[in-house]
């Protein structure tokens, strides 16, 4: 492929193909390197890359165009919008690539990492180990530099030893686990609740102490059903909303 090169994708036949493709391409766009080309490959090239029909690819591109991430020009091609930012809340249909897309598109700073005893509230997820390695990261808006959220990821020590910190500054932990470490992720459970900013969160996110925040907990399981990562992310309450759509079966 010439121009912008999207990441690869393993399709899940239980989910709409256009949705999976749009989320994978969205994550690639938001997580692209600053020097990456803004020109997308042709519909035919993208369809071949993802292993789908041109019609499916066209539907995926239409989703991204409606969100404002890309623009399509007759005879000129399809281009990434240079100032493209997160749009309205998106449908979440159970795709790992949707999780990656939700976490992409921001400037990330690794604040530190190191071993610590398994916290009491995580003991149920790590019953066979006394210690985890916690990675702490701060994310900022890619355009304004304003802090938007900060995250803690608790990993098993044997996995943490394989994590490249440079990858964590480019990609969400979910993508690092799946694509860099080769973990076969079977599912992720998400919990989002309203909380008040503690002193550390208030300092890192530049918000008043005890102001509302969104607290996200994501538990990632491998193909054997074992927990490989527990993510705890604190989002600024004035910058994020979450929306889940449940479609009834016909």
């Amino acid at each position: 492929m010439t121009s912008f090169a999207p990441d690869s994708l393993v399709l899940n036949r239980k989910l709409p193909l256009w949705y999976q493709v749009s989320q994978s391409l969205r994550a690639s766009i938001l997580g692209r390197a600053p020097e990456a080309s803004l020109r997308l490959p042709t519909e035919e090239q993208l369809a071949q890359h993802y292993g789908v029909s041109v019609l499916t690819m066209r539907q995926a591109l239409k989703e991204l165009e409606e969100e404002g991430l890309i623009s399509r020009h007759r005879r000129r091609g399809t281009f990434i919008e240079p100032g493209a930012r997160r749009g309205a809340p998106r449908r979440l249909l159970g795709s790992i690539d949707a999780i990656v897309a939700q976490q992409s598109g921001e400037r990330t700073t690794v604040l530190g990492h190191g071993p610590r005893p398994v916290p009491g509230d995580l003991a149920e997820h790590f019953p066979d180990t006394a210690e985890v390695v916690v990675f702490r990261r701060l994310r900022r808006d890619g355009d304004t530099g304003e802090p938007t959220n900060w995250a803690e990821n608790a990993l098993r020590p044997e996995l943490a030893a394989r994590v490249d910190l440079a990858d964590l500054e480019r990609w969400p932990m979910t993508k690092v686990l799946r694509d860099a470490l080769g973990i076969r992720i079977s599912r992720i459970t998400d919990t989002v609740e309203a909380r008040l900013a503690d002193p550390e969160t208030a300092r890192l996110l530049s918000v008043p102490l005890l102001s509302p925040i969104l607290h996200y907990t994501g538990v990632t399981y491998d193909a054997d059903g074992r927990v490989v990562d527990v993510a705890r992310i604190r989002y600024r309450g004035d910058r994020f909303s979450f929306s889940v759509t449940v479609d009834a079966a016909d």
Side-chain angles (χ1 to χ4, degrees):
M1 278 190 184
T2 59
S3 62
F4 176 77
D7 295 335
S8 59
L9 170 65
V10 177
L11 293 169
N12 180 344
R13 296 295 168 178
K14 296 181 180 180
L15 296 172
L17 296 182
W18 66 266
Y19 171 79
Q20 296 178 69
V21 170
S22 70
Q23 292 303 304
S24 178
L25 184 53
R26 184 180 190 280
S28 295
I29 289 173
L30 291 177
R32 70 190 186 280
E35 66 276 9
S37 171
L38 295 178
R39 185 186 184 94
L40 288 180
T42 65
E43 289 181 351
E44 291 77 12
Q45 290 173 318
L46 285 169
Q48 183 178 12
H49 173 77
Y50 285 114
V52 298
S53 69
V54 172
L55 185 61
T56 296
M57 194 66 239
R58 195 167 294 159
Q59 188 174 4
L61 291 172
K62 182 174 182 290
E63 180 87 353
L64 299 181
E65 184 179 25
E66 290 178 351
E67 191 180 333
L69 286 179
I70 64 173
S71 58
R72 311 176 75 186
H73 306 275
R74 187 176 180 83
R75 296 192 179 89
R76 289 180 52 212
T78 303
F79 296 84
I80 299 169
E81 285 294 316
R85 301 175 62 181
R86 294 170 174 269
R90 292 162 296 282
R91 283 168 285 184
L92 188 57
L93 301 182
S95 164
I96 297 299
D97 285 284
I99 299 294
V100 171
Q102 290 278 348
Q103 301 170 356
S104 300
E106 296 170 312
R107 291 177 6 215
T108 301
T109 301
V110 177
L111 301 174
H113 73 290
R116 67 173 67 170
V118 175
D121 59 338
L122 300 187
E124 63 176 303
H125 301 304
F126 299 104
D128 54 352
T129 183
E131 188 176 78
V132 291
V133 176
V134 176
F135 294 83
R136 301 171 73 251
R137 291 166 297 144
L138 176 66
R139 297 190 182 108
R140 298 179 181 274
D141 183 277
D143 295 325
T144 67
E146 182 181 42
T148 59
N149 65 87
W150 79 278
E152 289 183 304
N153 289 84
L155 272 66
R156 297 179 178 277
E158 64 272 19
L159 292 180
R162 298 166 52 197
V163 172
D164 187 333
L165 294 184
D167 286 341
L168 279 183
E169 293 183 345
R170 299 168 49 214
W171 298 333
M173 181 63 83
T174 305
K175 183 174 177 65
V176 171
L177 291 171
R178 186 189 66 177
D179 297 350
L181 273 61
I183 304 298
R184 292 180 56 205
I185 296 175
S186 62
R187 63 189 173 98
I188 299 175
T189 62
D190 295 335
T191 303
V192 181
E193 57 185 320
R195 291 192 182 180
L196 300 180
D198 57 46
E200 185 171 25
T201 296
R203 177 179 63 83
L204 290 173
L205 299 186
S206 299
V207 297
L209 183 64
L210 301 181
S211 62
I213 63 166
L214 292 178
H215 188 281
Y216 163 92
T217 303
V219 183
T220 300
Y221 299 81
D222 65 15
D224 297 323
R226 193 182 191 204
V227 173
V228 294
D229 169 43
V230 178
R232 293 184 289 188
I233 309 176
R234 292 83 165 174
Y235 293 92
R236 282 183 54 150
D238 60 345
R239 293 295 306 275
F240 282 88
S241 61
F242 288 81
S243 175
V244 177
T245 298
V246 178
D247 294 321
D250 294 332

